[in-house]
Structure formats: C-alpha cells, structure tokens
Amino acid sequence: MHALTTALPKQLTDWHEGRAAVRMLVAALAAYLCTAMIHLPGPYSAVITTLIVARPHSGGVLRASFERLTATILGAGVASLATFGRLLHAPELLLIAIALAPLALIAAHNSAYRTAMIAAIIVLSAPATGGAPLYVAGVRMLGVSLGAAIGALVSVTILPSSREVAVARMAAKLVEEFAGLLRNAIDPAAGDAKSRDRFEYRVRQSLRELGLLIRDRPDALPAKGPAAAIVKFTVQMHADIAFLKRELQAHGPQTSDAPASDAPTPVMPPLEDFAQAFAATVTQVAAMARGRSGPPDITELREKCGQAAQSLSQEYPHSEGARLMLRRLVEDLAALIRSIGRARAGATPEA
C-alpha cells in the first residue's frame, strides 16, 4: 500500500475531497436502488436523507453518523405522529408547528439532532394524494429511515480514513505554506502587499478547516490524542511566525528606527540561511505527514536558528522577542514531527 501511495501522483494521494465525493455518490445511488428494489414510493426522500446523514469526512464518523441516524428517525417519527392531525383536518401550519416545536428544542440543546427537523419536513411534505394520511406518512418514514441507515453505513464502510491520517495530510499542506509565511516575515519586499494578504488569509482559512477535523461538529469539544496534538503545534507554528514578523518589525531589521531608504532592507544572511533550511525541513515534514518518508533530521535547522539568533543579538540588542520566536518555531516544529510520528504509528479508523 505504501508503494502504491508513493507511485501515485501527489495530487491524487492528497485528494481527500475525492473520497468524500465517492462516499456521497455511493450513498445516494445505494439509497435510490434500495427503494426501487422494494418498490417504495418517493425514492428521492431516501436519497435526500442519505445525503443529510452521510458524512463528507470520515473523522469521528461512527459516533457522528449514528447521532444523525438517531436524529433523522426521531424527526420522522414525530412527524408521523403529527400526521394524525390530518384525520381531524387540522391546518398544515398547525401540523408543522406541532412537529417542529419539540424538535427545535432538542436541536437547540444538542446540535447533533438538527437533522431531525429536516427529516420531519420530508415526512410532512408527502403528497396527500398518495393514499390515507397515515399510510403516506408511514411510507415516507420508511424511506427516510432507510436513507438514514444507508447514509450511516456508507460513511463507515466506503473509503474510510482515520482522523489522524486526515489531519496529518491536511497539516502537510499547511506546513508547506509556512515556508512562504516565514519568507514574508523576514522579507517585507517579497511580493506585493495584496498578494501577501491573500496568501495569509488563505492560510488562516486552512487552519480553521484543520481545527474542524478534530471536532465531530462545530460546537463540540475537540477530540484528544495525536490528531489534536498535530493541530495544536501547527497552529502554534503559525502564531510563532506571526509574532516573529511583529518582533522583526519592532526591534529588528525592519524597525521604523532604521535609516530611511528607497531600497528595500536586505535580509540578514543568517536569517536567509535559516529560512532556506526551514523551507527544506517543512518539505520533508510534509512528506512524512503524507506517509512517504520518515522523520527528518532537524539538526541543521537548529544550527541555522542559533546562528540567526546570535546575529540578531549582535546587530539588534533589543530583539529578544524575535530570537525567542525563532527558537519556539523550531521547537514547535520538532513537537509537530513527534505528533505526526505518533499519529502515523497508531492511526486506526475511529469508532
């Protein structure tokens, strides 16, 4: 399997969106085929429910999928009970209120049950011309329940990937971008301001997406373990670079106290050497996170960091903050490497 991963192009092995697309497509087709095979009316209700329940990412999938399955069946059941009101010719507006009021309270208390309201509306939307109200509601509830079960089953069986592997691969893309962030921090003349802002905004967006991978839902607490450690040290490296940039602007080569000149301030050679060593190291770390190599040796990076810190100390005595951020960046990178190693060693699909 490792040889196959190495042989495949980088774009294919990192295409986690492709796995999600395959899961969603298989779930939708399976739901339609199952309802067609048993001649269940309204097959699209099962397909819609399947797409609601199926998880686009398989991290924490078993628990989250069964939460959605339970919520969907709960919503369908409550809506089926509400259809008794049609026997009494109750207004549809009243039926919707009766069905959604308790589900709204449940969803407000626990967002994992927000799919219950969608399932209830799917059941209530069944056409009255299909037969007796209870029969129509029962058939629609069966379709919704079948779709929910198929969605949960596909999520845990089709192209599953562990949370640790998904987090490590996304972190690989981010640490490669950190080389550009460090370049922007030490060299203000690198590119134009607008392109730098767009680049840094894109990195921040990716960090937010990375953080969501260790949560089963946006309002849930982050999971613990190697995946959470990868996210922690990746975020800390981003913060280290951001603070390094500020310190260099305040007390380093980019300080406003430096002599004014039309020419851009040249990057100190030791800082340039450190940036190059950092770029080479994060490339190796990204390869490690993708499962293509072992942990890199960062001895040279530590040496370049020491030389850069010493040069800053000699040239800019008040640059203690910048020197601290350089050392913290290297230490957080070392911690990230250890976390990726633990994630790769013990990665198993989460139940």
Side-chain angles (χ1 to χ4, degrees):
M1 183 65 182
H2 176 73
L4 177 62
T5 302
T6 306
L8 287 174
K10 172 177 176 291
Q11 289 82 359
L12 292 181
T13 55
D14 289 340
W15 191 40
H16 293 289
E17 293 83 356
R19 289 173 173 261
V22 169
R23 278 196 291 270
M24 303 292 278
L25 178 61
V26 169
L29 296 178
Y32 187 89
L33 287 175
C34 288
T35 53
M37 288 174 60
I38 63 176
H39 304 288
L40 193 66
Y44 284 102
S45 61
V47 175
I48 293 172
T49 309
T50 295
L51 295 177
I52 294 171
V53 173
R55 296 274 291 177
H57 301 288
S58 59
V61 67
L62 191 58
R63 178 172 59 255
S65 291
F66 277 105
E67 283 180 346
R68 291 188 179 193
L69 173 62
T70 302
T72 302
I73 294 176
L74 173 64
V78 171
S80 297
L81 293 176
T83 56
F84 277 99
R86 286 177 176 161
L87 298 176
L88 304 174
H89 305 287
E92 289 296 316
L93 186 62
L94 178 60
L95 295 182
I96 294 175
I98 292 173
L100 295 189
L103 299 177
L105 290 174
I106 295 174
H109 178 70
N110 188 343
S111 65
Y113 287 85
R114 61 188 180 277
T115 57
M117 300 177 70
I118 302 174
I121 291 299
I122 292 175
V123 171
L124 289 176
S125 65
T129 56
L134 294 181
Y135 169 77
V136 172
V139 168
R140 184 59 64 92
M141 179 179 176
L142 180 60
V144 168
S145 302
L146 179 62
I150 291 173
L153 183 63
V154 167
S155 294
V156 298
T157 57
I158 303 298
L159 296 178
S161 60
S162 72
R163 188 196 300 272
E164 286 77 11
V165 171
V167 169
R169 286 179 178 265
M170 189 166 183
K173 297 179 182 180
L174 269 166
V175 295
E176 286 177 326
E177 302 282 14
F178 286 171
L181 279 182
L182 181 61
R183 170 61 55 188
N184 291 345
I186 68 171
D187 186 5
D192 60 279
K194 184 175 291 186
S195 62
R196 288 199 305 269
D197 290 342
R198 284 198 300 266
F199 171 67
E200 292 174 6
Y201 175 77
R202 188 172 68 248
V203 171
R204 290 194 298 270
Q205 289 292 102
S206 298
L207 281 171
R208 280 191 281 269
E209 293 173 7
L210 178 65
L212 289 175
L213 288 181
I214 58 172
R215 299 172 185 267
D216 295 331
R217 54 184 188 274
D219 62 344
L221 293 174
K224 297 180 180 179
I230 291 175
V231 174
K232 172 186 175 182
F233 292 116
T234 303
V235 171
Q236 287 185 186
M237 286 181 63
H238 178 265
D240 295 339
I241 296 174
F243 281 112
L244 173 63
K245 181 179 181 180
R246 295 179 187 177
E247 289 296 323
L248 289 175
Q249 290 173 344
H251 304 291
Q254 305 164 25
T255 177
S256 58
D257 297 333
S261 174
D262 294 335
T265 304
V267 180
M268 297 175 62
L271 271 179
E272 178 65 33
D273 293 342
F274 172 76
Q276 293 179 4
F278 181 82
T281 303
V282 294
T283 299
Q284 297 172 9
V285 173
M288 175 192 177
R290 295 183 176 110
R292 297 176 185 160
S293 68
D297 184 3
I298 63 171
T299 303
E300 182 182 358
L301 181 64
R302 291 184 185 277
E303 292 176 355
K304 298 296 183 183
C305 176
Q307 293 169 7
Q310 184 178 5
S311 179
L312 281 171
S313 177
Q314 294 172 353
E315 296 288 336
Y316 304 95
H318 299 292
S319 61
E320 298 92 345
R323 301 197 299 271
L324 173 63
M325 288 301 107
L326 282 174
R327 297 188 183 96
R328 280 200 56 176
L329 179 60
V330 174
E331 293 307 318
D332 285 335
L333 178 60
L336 176 62
I337 292 171
R338 292 192 295 270
S339 299
I340 293 173
R342 289 195 295 270
R344 281 287 171 186
T348 54
E350 181 179 350

